[in-house]
Amino acid sequence: MTFIILAILGGFVILTAGAELLVRGASAIALKLGVTPLVIGLTIVAFGTSAPELAVSVKSALSGNSGIALGNVIGSNIANIGLILALTAIIRPIGVQSQTVKRDIPLMIGSSVLLLLLLIDGGLGWIDGVVLFALLLAFLWHSYRISSDEDAEEIEAGPSNPWLSGLLIVAGIGCLVGGGVLFVDGAVEMARAFGISEAVIGLTIIAIGTSMPELVTSVVAALKGQSDIAIGNVVGSNIFNILCILGVTALVHPVAASGFSLLDFAVMLILAILVLPFAMSNMRIGRKEGCALLAGYIGYMAYLVTHAAA
């Protein structure tokens, strides 16, 4: 058991470090291309902080643990809103731009609905992966194309040397792969030791663990007054989790949807929908909205823990 705990903790630390390196390197390159902070948050930073989920989900699927792969994405999307966005708003209310309300949040909701439709037949296959990944490419192209028309906030620059930025990206990816292997192996062994299903492990331990980069990034961005990065990171990460992570994972190996309840999918969709009216209220997500989201997340986690124990 000691080895299992060390593997999970060690994998988590390496994943977090890898995400930090990837975000720093990718953000520096994006800034050189003249991309605005909101788009950086929606794309580069969102991808960087979602990279742990990608590493964990692909590793899980290849190992035959597809329940962890899907549970990781569903649980991460729930945690991104119910925990990360909630805590960030509680610490400091998050300002929201009009284009985020009109375009990005609806895209997050649409991605969630699409995932549920694709899972009706019991899982995600190769064709589903193609559809999701094609939509990801369209999202990236659209975000880059319109970025020059958006208002920008100031953002801290990364390394000025493009070669150094490239090295940070490579090092980050390496840490994410290695950390993902450790984290998944430890979590699977813990699930077996306690008789907990892969779906529950993916929805809780792995989802929260791989979402820590989003939490750190969003909280730090909010404290620095970079609302575009804070909200863009969460919304973009949820879009990436579905289109990129599940898309790539389904291309590599079929993903089964067994072991999940209707409640799991309903909570993911309801939280995504709630962000829209919350954001439209005075064009910011305040402490009251944050408390409401956090209360819902705590209630859902309590249900999962009780259900797993039973």
mmCIF file with all atom_site columns, all heavy atoms in Angstrom, residues 70-88:
data_model
loop_
_atom_site.group_PDB
_atom_site.id
_atom_site.type_symbol
_atom_site.label_atom_id
_atom_site.label_alt_id
_atom_site.label_comp_id
_atom_site.label_asym_id
_atom_site.label_entity_id
_atom_site.label_seq_id
_atom_site.pdbx_PDB_ins_code
_atom_site.Cartn_x
_atom_site.Cartn_y
_atom_site.Cartn_z
_atom_site.occupancy
_atom_site.B_iso_or_equiv
_atom_site.pdbx_formal_charge
_atom_site.auth_seq_id
_atom_site.auth_comp_id
_atom_site.auth_asym_id
_atom_site.auth_atom_id
_atom_site.pdbx_PDB_model_num
ATOM 1   N N   . LEU A 1 70 ? -12.681 7.419  -19.335 1.00 0.00 ? 70 LEU A N   1
ATOM 2   C CA  . LEU A 1 70 ? -13.895 8.217  -19.453 1.00 0.00 ? 70 LEU A CA  1
ATOM 3   C C   . LEU A 1 70 ? -14.224 8.920  -18.141 1.00 0.00 ? 70 LEU A C   1
ATOM 4   O O   . LEU A 1 70 ? -14.604 10.092 -18.131 1.00 0.00 ? 70 LEU A O   1
ATOM 5   C CB  . LEU A 1 70 ? -15.067 7.333  -19.883 1.00 0.00 ? 70 LEU A CB  1
ATOM 6   C CG  . LEU A 1 70 ? -16.407 8.035  -20.106 1.00 0.00 ? 70 LEU A CG  1
ATOM 7   C CD1 . LEU A 1 70 ? -16.272 9.139  -21.164 1.00 0.00 ? 70 LEU A CD1 1
ATOM 8   C CD2 . LEU A 1 70 ? -17.475 7.022  -20.528 1.00 0.00 ? 70 LEU A CD2 1
ATOM 9   N N   . GLY A 1 71 ? -14.063 8.212  -17.032 1.00 0.00 ? 71 GLY A N   1
ATOM 10  C CA  . GLY A 1 71 ? -14.339 8.812  -15.728 1.00 0.00 ? 71 GLY A CA  1
ATOM 11  C C   . GLY A 1 71 ? -13.435 9.996  -15.445 1.00 0.00 ? 71 GLY A C   1
ATOM 12  O O   . GLY A 1 71 ? -13.852 10.976 -14.811 1.00 0.00 ? 71 GLY A O   1
ATOM 13  N N   . ASN A 1 72 ? -12.207 9.931  -15.936 1.00 0.00 ? 72 ASN A N   1
ATOM 14  C CA  . ASN A 1 72 ? -11.254 11.027 -15.756 1.00 0.00 ? 72 ASN A CA  1
ATOM 15  C C   . ASN A 1 72 ? -11.769 12.297 -16.420 1.00 0.00 ? 72 ASN A C   1
ATOM 16  O O   . ASN A 1 72 ? -11.715 13.385 -15.842 1.00 0.00 ? 72 ASN A O   1
ATOM 17  C CB  . ASN A 1 72 ? -9.901  10.615 -16.347 1.00 0.00 ? 72 ASN A CB  1
ATOM 18  C CG  . ASN A 1 72 ? -8.858  11.705 -16.250 1.00 0.00 ? 72 ASN A CG  1
ATOM 19  O OD1 . ASN A 1 72 ? -8.861  12.498 -15.315 1.00 0.00 ? 72 ASN A OD1 1
ATOM 20  N ND2 . ASN A 1 72 ? -7.968  11.746 -17.227 1.00 0.00 ? 72 ASN A ND2 1
ATOM 21  N N   . VAL A 1 73 ? -12.283 12.182 -17.639 1.00 0.00 ? 73 VAL A N   1
ATOM 22  C CA  . VAL A 1 73 ? -12.777 13.348 -18.371 1.00 0.00 ? 73 VAL A CA  1
ATOM 23  C C   . VAL A 1 73 ? -14.064 13.886 -17.752 1.00 0.00 ? 73 VAL A C   1
ATOM 24  O O   . VAL A 1 73 ? -14.193 15.093 -17.516 1.00 0.00 ? 73 VAL A O   1
ATOM 25  C CB  . VAL A 1 73 ? -13.004 13.002 -19.855 1.00 0.00 ? 73 VAL A CB  1
ATOM 26  C CG1 . VAL A 1 73 ? -13.789 14.104 -20.557 1.00 0.00 ? 73 VAL A CG1 1
ATOM 27  C CG2 . VAL A 1 73 ? -11.665 12.800 -20.553 1.00 0.00 ? 73 VAL A CG2 1
ATOM 28  N N   . ILE A 1 74 ? -15.002 13.006 -17.479 1.00 0.00 ? 74 ILE A N   1
ATOM 29  C CA  . ILE A 1 74 ? -16.264 13.444 -16.883 1.00 0.00 ? 74 ILE A CA  1
ATOM 30  C C   . ILE A 1 74 ? -16.008 14.079 -15.518 1.00 0.00 ? 74 ILE A C   1
ATOM 31  O O   . ILE A 1 74 ? -16.502 15.169 -15.208 1.00 0.00 ? 74 ILE A O   1
ATOM 32  C CB  . ILE A 1 74 ? -17.247 12.263 -16.736 1.00 0.00 ? 74 ILE A CB  1
ATOM 33  C CG1 . ILE A 1 74 ? -17.625 11.728 -18.102 1.00 0.00 ? 74 ILE A CG1 1
ATOM 34  C CG2 . ILE A 1 74 ? -18.505 12.698 -15.967 1.00 0.00 ? 74 ILE A CG2 1
ATOM 35  C CD1 . ILE A 1 74 ? -18.462 10.465 -18.053 1.00 0.00 ? 74 ILE A CD1 1
ATOM 36  N N   . GLY A 1 75 ? -15.212 13.396 -14.697 1.00 0.00 ? 75 GLY A N   1
ATOM 37  C CA  . GLY A 1 75 ? -14.903 13.912 -13.365 1.00 0.00 ? 75 GLY A CA  1
ATOM 38  C C   . GLY A 1 75 ? -14.119 15.207 -13.409 1.00 0.00 ? 75 GLY A C   1
ATOM 39  O O   . GLY A 1 75 ? -14.346 16.115 -12.597 1.00 0.00 ? 75 GLY A O   1
ATOM 40  N N   . SER A 1 76 ? -13.194 15.327 -14.368 1.00 0.00 ? 76 SER A N   1
ATOM 41  C CA  . SER A 1 76 ? -12.408 16.552 -14.498 1.00 0.00 ? 76 SER A CA  1
ATOM 42  C C   . SER A 1 76 ? -13.281 17.726 -14.920 1.00 0.00 ? 76 SER A C   1
ATOM 43  O O   . SER A 1 76 ? -13.121 18.847 -14.425 1.00 0.00 ? 76 SER A O   1
ATOM 44  C CB  . SER A 1 76 ? -11.273 16.355 -15.516 1.00 0.00 ? 76 SER A CB  1
ATOM 45  O OG  . SER A 1 76 ? -10.309 15.456 -15.022 1.00 0.00 ? 76 SER A OG  1
ATOM 46  N N   . ASN A 1 77 ? -14.209 17.489 -15.851 1.00 0.00 ? 77 ASN A N   1
ATOM 47  C CA  . ASN A 1 77 ? -15.103 18.562 -16.280 1.00 0.00 ? 77 ASN A CA  1
ATOM 48  C C   . ASN A 1 77 ? -15.997 19.018 -15.137 1.00 0.00 ? 77 ASN A C   1
ATOM 49  O O   . ASN A 1 77 ? -16.280 20.216 -14.994 1.00 0.00 ? 77 ASN A O   1
ATOM 50  C CB  . ASN A 1 77 ? -15.956 18.094 -17.463 1.00 0.00 ? 77 ASN A CB  1
ATOM 51  C CG  . ASN A 1 77 ? -15.225 18.212 -18.786 1.00 0.00 ? 77 ASN A CG  1
ATOM 52  O OD1 . ASN A 1 77 ? -13.993 18.261 -18.811 1.00 0.00 ? 77 ASN A OD1 1
ATOM 53  N ND2 . ASN A 1 77 ? -15.949 18.239 -19.878 1.00 0.00 ? 77 ASN A ND2 1
ATOM 54  N N   . ILE A 1 78 ? -16.440 18.064 -14.318 1.00 0.00 ? 78 ILE A N   1
ATOM 55  C CA  . ILE A 1 78 ? -17.250 18.412 -13.148 1.00 0.00 ? 78 ILE A CA  1
ATOM 56  C C   . ILE A 1 78 ? -16.409 19.196 -12.151 1.00 0.00 ? 78 ILE A C   1
ATOM 57  O O   . ILE A 1 78 ? -16.843 20.218 -11.608 1.00 0.00 ? 78 ILE A O   1
ATOM 58  C CB  . ILE A 1 78 ? -17.826 17.136 -12.496 1.00 0.00 ? 78 ILE A CB  1
ATOM 59  C CG1 . ILE A 1 78 ? -18.856 16.492 -13.425 1.00 0.00 ? 78 ILE A CG1 1
ATOM 60  C CG2 . ILE A 1 78 ? -18.453 17.463 -11.145 1.00 0.00 ? 78 ILE A CG2 1
ATOM 61  C CD1 . ILE A 1 78 ? -19.360 15.140 -12.952 1.00 0.00 ? 78 ILE A CD1 1
ATOM 62  N N   . ALA A 1 79 ? -15.179 18.729 -11.906 1.00 0.00 ? 79 ALA A N   1
ATOM 63  C CA  . ALA A 1 79 ? -14.290 19.395 -10.952 1.00 0.00 ? 79 ALA A CA  1
ATOM 64  C C   . ALA A 1 79 ? -13.879 20.779 -11.441 1.00 0.00 ? 79 ALA A C   1
ATOM 65  O O   . ALA A 1 79 ? -13.745 21.714 -10.647 1.00 0.00 ? 79 ALA A O   1
ATOM 66  C CB  . ALA A 1 79 ? -13.052 18.536 -10.693 1.00 0.00 ? 79 ALA A CB  1
ATOM 67  N N   . ASN A 1 80 ? -13.669 20.924 -12.747 1.00 0.00 ? 80 ASN A N   1
ATOM 68  C CA  . ASN A 1 80 ? -13.269 22.224 -13.295 1.00 0.00 ? 80 ASN A CA  1
ATOM 69  C C   . ASN A 1 80 ? -14.282 23.316 -12.970 1.00 0.00 ? 80 ASN A C   1
ATOM 70  O O   . ASN A 1 80 ? -13.912 24.469 -12.707 1.00 0.00 ? 80 ASN A O   1
ATOM 71  C CB  . ASN A 1 80 ? -13.098 22.125 -14.812 1.00 0.00 ? 80 ASN A CB  1
ATOM 72  C CG  . ASN A 1 80 ? -11.784 21.478 -15.204 1.00 0.00 ? 80 ASN A CG  1
ATOM 73  O OD1 . ASN A 1 80 ? -10.893 21.306 -14.378 1.00 0.00 ? 80 ASN A OD1 1
ATOM 74  N ND2 . ASN A 1 80 ? -11.674 21.099 -16.462 1.00 0.00 ? 80 ASN A ND2 1
ATOM 75  N N   . ILE A 1 81 ? -15.568 22.954 -12.996 1.00 0.00 ? 81 ILE A N   1
ATOM 76  C CA  . ILE A 1 81 ? -16.612 23.946 -12.721 1.00 0.00 ? 81 ILE A CA  1
ATOM 77  C C   . ILE A 1 81 ? -16.999 23.960 -11.248 1.00 0.00 ? 81 ILE A C   1
ATOM 78  O O   . ILE A 1 81 ? -17.007 25.009 -10.595 1.00 0.00 ? 81 ILE A O   1
ATOM 79  C CB  . ILE A 1 81 ? -17.860 23.661 -13.586 1.00 0.00 ? 81 ILE A CB  1
ATOM 80  C CG1 . ILE A 1 81 ? -17.517 23.819 -15.067 1.00 0.00 ? 81 ILE A CG1 1
ATOM 81  C CG2 . ILE A 1 81 ? -19.005 24.609 -13.200 1.00 0.00 ? 81 ILE A CG2 1
ATOM 82  C CD1 . ILE A 1 81 ? -18.637 23.420 -16.008 1.00 0.00 ? 81 ILE A CD1 1
ATOM 83  N N   . GLY A 1 82 ? -17.332 22.778 -10.694 1.00 0.00 ? 82 GLY A N   1
ATOM 84  C CA  . GLY A 1 82 ? -17.832 22.706 -9.324  1.00 0.00 ? 82 GLY A CA  1
ATOM 85  C C   . GLY A 1 82 ? -16.790 22.973 -8.252  1.00 0.00 ? 82 GLY A C   1
ATOM 86  O O   . GLY A 1 82 ? -17.134 23.385 -7.139  1.00 0.00 ? 82 GLY A O   1
ATOM 87  N N   . LEU A 1 83 ? -15.521 22.734 -8.581  1.00 0.00 ? 83 LEU A N   1
ATOM 88  C CA  . LEU A 1 83 ? -14.452 22.942 -7.601  1.00 0.00 ? 83 LEU A CA  1
ATOM 89  C C   . LEU A 1 83 ? -13.552 24.109 -7.987  1.00 0.00 ? 83 LEU A C   1
ATOM 90  O O   . LEU A 1 83 ? -13.397 25.063 -7.225  1.00 0.00 ? 83 LEU A O   1
ATOM 91  C CB  . LEU A 1 83 ? -13.619 21.665 -7.465  1.00 0.00 ? 83 LEU A CB  1
ATOM 92  C CG  . LEU A 1 83 ? -12.436 21.712 -6.493  1.00 0.00 ? 83 LEU A CG  1
ATOM 93  C CD1 . LEU A 1 83 ? -12.921 21.939 -5.065  1.00 0.00 ? 83 LEU A CD1 1
ATOM 94  C CD2 . LEU A 1 83 ? -11.617 20.421 -6.582  1.00 0.00 ? 83 LEU A CD2 1
ATOM 95  N N   . ILE A 1 84 ? -12.973 24.045 -9.180  1.00 0.00 ? 84 ILE A N   1
ATOM 96  C CA  . ILE A 1 84 ? -11.959 25.027 -9.575  1.00 0.00 ? 84 ILE A CA  1
ATOM 97  C C   . ILE A 1 84 ? -12.565 26.401 -9.866  1.00 0.00 ? 84 ILE A C   1
ATOM 98  O O   . ILE A 1 84 ? -12.141 27.414 -9.308  1.00 0.00 ? 84 ILE A O   1
ATOM 99  C CB  . ILE A 1 84 ? -11.170 24.503 -10.788 1.00 0.00 ? 84 ILE A CB  1
ATOM 100 C CG1 . ILE A 1 84 ? -10.374 23.271 -10.373 1.00 0.00 ? 84 ILE A CG1 1
ATOM 101 C CG2 . ILE A 1 84 ? -10.247 25.584 -11.338 1.00 0.00 ? 84 ILE A CG2 1
ATOM 102 C CD1 . ILE A 1 84 ? -9.840  22.466 -11.519 1.00 0.00 ? 84 ILE A CD1 1
ATOM 103 N N   . LEU A 1 85 ? -13.563 26.452 -10.747 1.00 0.00 ? 85 LEU A N   1
ATOM 104 C CA  . LEU A 1 85 ? -14.205 27.736 -11.042 1.00 0.00 ? 85 LEU A CA  1
ATOM 105 C C   . LEU A 1 85 ? -14.867 28.289 -9.787  1.00 0.00 ? 85 LEU A C   1
ATOM 106 O O   . LEU A 1 85 ? -14.828 29.496 -9.537  1.00 0.00 ? 85 LEU A O   1
ATOM 107 C CB  . LEU A 1 85 ? -15.239 27.557 -12.151 1.00 0.00 ? 85 LEU A CB  1
ATOM 108 C CG  . LEU A 1 85 ? -15.875 28.846 -12.689 1.00 0.00 ? 85 LEU A CG  1
ATOM 109 C CD1 . LEU A 1 85 ? -14.818 29.741 -13.323 1.00 0.00 ? 85 LEU A CD1 1
ATOM 110 C CD2 . LEU A 1 85 ? -16.976 28.528 -13.691 1.00 0.00 ? 85 LEU A CD2 1
ATOM 111 N N   . ALA A 1 86 ? -15.449 27.402 -8.969  1.00 0.00 ? 86 ALA A N   1
ATOM 112 C CA  . ALA A 1 86 ? -16.113 27.825 -7.737  1.00 0.00 ? 86 ALA A CA  1
ATOM 113 C C   . ALA A 1 86 ? -15.125 28.448 -6.762  1.00 0.00 ? 86 ALA A C   1
ATOM 114 O O   . ALA A 1 86 ? -15.347 29.556 -6.251  1.00 0.00 ? 86 ALA A O   1
ATOM 115 C CB  . ALA A 1 86 ? -16.812 26.630 -7.091  1.00 0.00 ? 86 ALA A CB  1
ATOM 116 N N   . LEU A 1 87 ? -14.013 27.762 -6.496  1.00 0.00 ? 87 LEU A N   1
ATOM 117 C CA  . LEU A 1 87 ? -13.024 28.274 -5.555  1.00 0.00 ? 87 LEU A CA  1
ATOM 118 C C   . LEU A 1 87 ? -12.389 29.567 -6.063  1.00 0.00 ? 87 LEU A C   1
ATOM 119 O O   . LEU A 1 87 ? -12.137 30.499 -5.287  1.00 0.00 ? 87 LEU A O   1
ATOM 120 C CB  . LEU A 1 87 ? -11.942 27.228 -5.302  1.00 0.00 ? 87 LEU A CB  1
ATOM 121 C CG  . LEU A 1 87 ? -12.347 26.007 -4.468  1.00 0.00 ? 87 LEU A CG  1
ATOM 122 C CD1 . LEU A 1 87 ? -11.184 25.025 -4.362  1.00 0.00 ? 87 LEU A CD1 1
ATOM 123 C CD2 . LEU A 1 87 ? -12.813 26.436 -3.079  1.00 0.00 ? 87 LEU A CD2 1
ATOM 124 N N   . THR A 1 88 ? -12.131 29.616 -7.363  1.00 0.00 ? 88 THR A N   1
ATOM 125 C CA  . THR A 1 88 ? -11.541 30.815 -7.950  1.00 0.00 ? 88 THR A CA  1
ATOM 126 C C   . THR A 1 88 ? -12.470 32.018 -7.769  1.00 0.00 ? 88 THR A C   1
ATOM 127 O O   . THR A 1 88 ? -12.028 33.116 -7.405  1.00 0.00 ? 88 THR A O   1
ATOM 128 C CB  . THR A 1 88 ? -11.253 30.606 -9.444  1.00 0.00 ? 88 THR A CB  1
ATOM 129 O OG1 . THR A 1 88 ? -10.428 29.442 -9.611  1.00 0.00 ? 88 THR A OG1 1
ATOM 130 C CG2 . THR A 1 88 ? -10.525 31.801 -10.029 1.00 0.00 ? 88 THR A CG2 1
#
